Amino acid sequence: MKLFKCQHCEQLLYFENTKCEKCSYPLGFISEIMTLSALEPEGDAWRALAVDKKTYRFCANAEFDVCNWMIEAGAPDIYCAACRHNRTIPDTTVPEHLFNWRKIEIAKHRLFYTLMKLGLPLDGKGEDGGERLVFDFLASPPHVDGPRVMTGHDNGLITLALEEADDAEREKRRTMMHEPYRTLVGHFRHEVGHYFWDVLVRDGGLVEACRKIFGDERADYGEALQAYYANGASPNWQDNYISAYATSHPWEDFAETWAHYLHIVDTLEMARAFGMYVHPRLARPGELDAQVDFDPYAVVDPLPLIETWIPLSNALNSLNRTMGLMDMYPFILSPPVVEKLSAIHDLIHGNKLPDKVPVAEKSAA
C-alpha cells in the first residue's frame, strides 16, 4: 500500500479516506490508475482531479459506506472492480452485520489493490459463465449449537464468516487455535492463495514444478487436516514452514506462503512511501540495515524483498513490544521458507520455477 495526496490541497491521504480532512473535498479511488482522487461534482457525476476529461460515479456499495471506489460514468457496471466479485453480502438491515461488513470490505479492497498491482488475473469465468473469483460473506445462525459458517475456498468461491470481523471473537479463535496471527486481511490473502493455485499452478501446467517445492498435493486433503488437528505440527516445523498450519497439506503450505508474500510486498510499499530506513546502532555494520529504495511490486529478483523485510520486520516487532503489543510479524523465515517465497514471486511474475532458489543469509528472529 502507498500514501496518497489530495490533488486540491496536497493533504496526505490514506487508502480508506472518503473525505479530505483539510479541504473537505470528497475522495474516490480510481482503480485504473490506482490512486485516490479528490472529486468535484459535474452534473450527475464526479470529475476526478487526478484524471483529465473523464467523469465517474461511485460504486453502488458506497450507499452502505463500505466502498470508496469509482466507476466511469458511462460504464454499464454498478459495482467497482472489487465489489463486483461479491456474490453474497450480509443483511444490511442488521446494524451489527453492516458494521462487520464494512470492516470486511476494508480488508478485501486492500487485497484487490495488491492483486491488481501485481497484475494477477481476476476475471476468469466459471462454467456457469459468472465470475470465477467470488465472495460470500455469511453470518452463522444465532444459536450456539447450530451449524457455523466456515471460512474457506471452494473452486473460486471464498467464504468468510461474518463473525471474523468481530475483534473479540477473532482473538478468541486465534487463541483457541494457537495462532500467532489472525486478521481479516490475512484471511483474504490466504484464501485467495488457494484460488491462484487453481489458476496459475493447476491450470498453468505448473503442478509438477510446485510439487517439488511444496510437496505432493495428491495426499488426501481431508485426512491431512484431520491428522493436523488431532496431532498438531511436528516440533521442528519452523525449519521448513512459515506457519504450523502450513504443515497440514501442500495446498495449505502454498496458500500460507502466498499470503506472506502479499504481506511482505504490501508492507514494503508502505515502508517505501514513508521513506523508512533501518540502521540499528548496536548491530554489526550492515548486518541489519534496510532501506526500501525499490518498488516491491516491480522488483525482478525476489531476494531484495526478503533481505529488506527481515530487518524491517525485526524493527517493527521491537516497536510493537514497546507498546505492549504482540509482534507485528511473529514468523521466522528459514532458508526453505525463503525458497518457497521466491517460488511464489517467480510464479506471480511469470518466471521459470527453478528446482533450487538461492536463499538469503539473514534469518528473522
Side-chain angles (χ1 to χ4, degrees), residues 206-232:
L206 295 173
V207 171
E208 286 290 343
C210 280
R211 193 173 286 161
K212 295 177 182 178
I213 299 167
F214 296 97
D216 193 341
E217 84 294 342
R218 290 171 294 188
D220 187 274
Y221 182 70
E223 291 181 1
L225 288 187
Q226 286 182 2
Y228 169 75
Y229 287 121
N231 306 316

Side-chain angles (χ1 to χ4, degrees), residues 170-331:
R170 192 173 61 256
E171 176 62 14
K172 175 183 175 182
R173 297 184 182 194
R174 185 194 69 80
T175 303
M176 181 179 65
M177 301 182 73
H178 308 289
E179 296 173 342
Y181 170 93
R182 190 180 184 93
T183 67
L184 289 172
V185 73
H187 279 320
F188 277 119
R189 288 171 176 166
H190 172 95
E191 299 302 341
V192 84
H194 289 297
Y195 169 73
F196 282 109
W197 169 278
D198 291 349
V199 172
L200 300 180
V201 178
R202 184 195 66 192
D203 298 346
L206 295 173
V207 171
E208 286 290 343
C210 280
R211 193 173 286 161
K212 295 177 182 178
I213 299 167
F214 296 97
D216 193 341
E217 84 294 342
R218 290 171 294 188
D220 187 274
Y221 182 70
E223 291 181 1
L225 288 187
Q226 286 182 2
Y228 169 75
Y229 287 121
N231 306 316
S234 62
N236 62 340
W237 63 264
Q238 289 180 320
D239 293 345
N240 296 287
Y241 298 91
I242 191 64
S243 69
Y245 189 55
T247 68
S248 62
H249 189 275
W251 282 339
E252 297 302 343
D253 191 13
F254 179 90
E256 284 284 90
T257 309
W258 177 280
H260 280 260
Y261 181 83
L262 299 192
H263 291 335
I264 291 169
V265 170
D266 201 43
T267 306
L268 285 178
E269 187 187 37
M270 182 57 79
R272 183 190 187 203
F274 273 101
M276 295 182 68
Y277 173 60
V278 177
H279 178 64
R281 296 179 180 179
L282 295 182
R284 290 191 295 269
E287 182 182 36
L288 288 177
D289 287 7
Q291 183 176 5
V292 193
D293 54 1
F294 56 88
D295 181 356
Y297 282 99
V299 65
V300 176
D301 186 348
L303 289 186
L305 296 173
I306 308 302
E307 293 173 342
T308 306
W309 175 247
I310 290 172
L312 179 64
S313 61
N314 283 338
L316 294 174
N317 286 345
S318 298
L319 289 172
N320 266 26
R321 293 178 188 184
T322 66
M323 294 294 293
L325 300 173
M326 296 190 306
D327 284 357
M328 196 256 341
Y329 191 73
F331 302 94

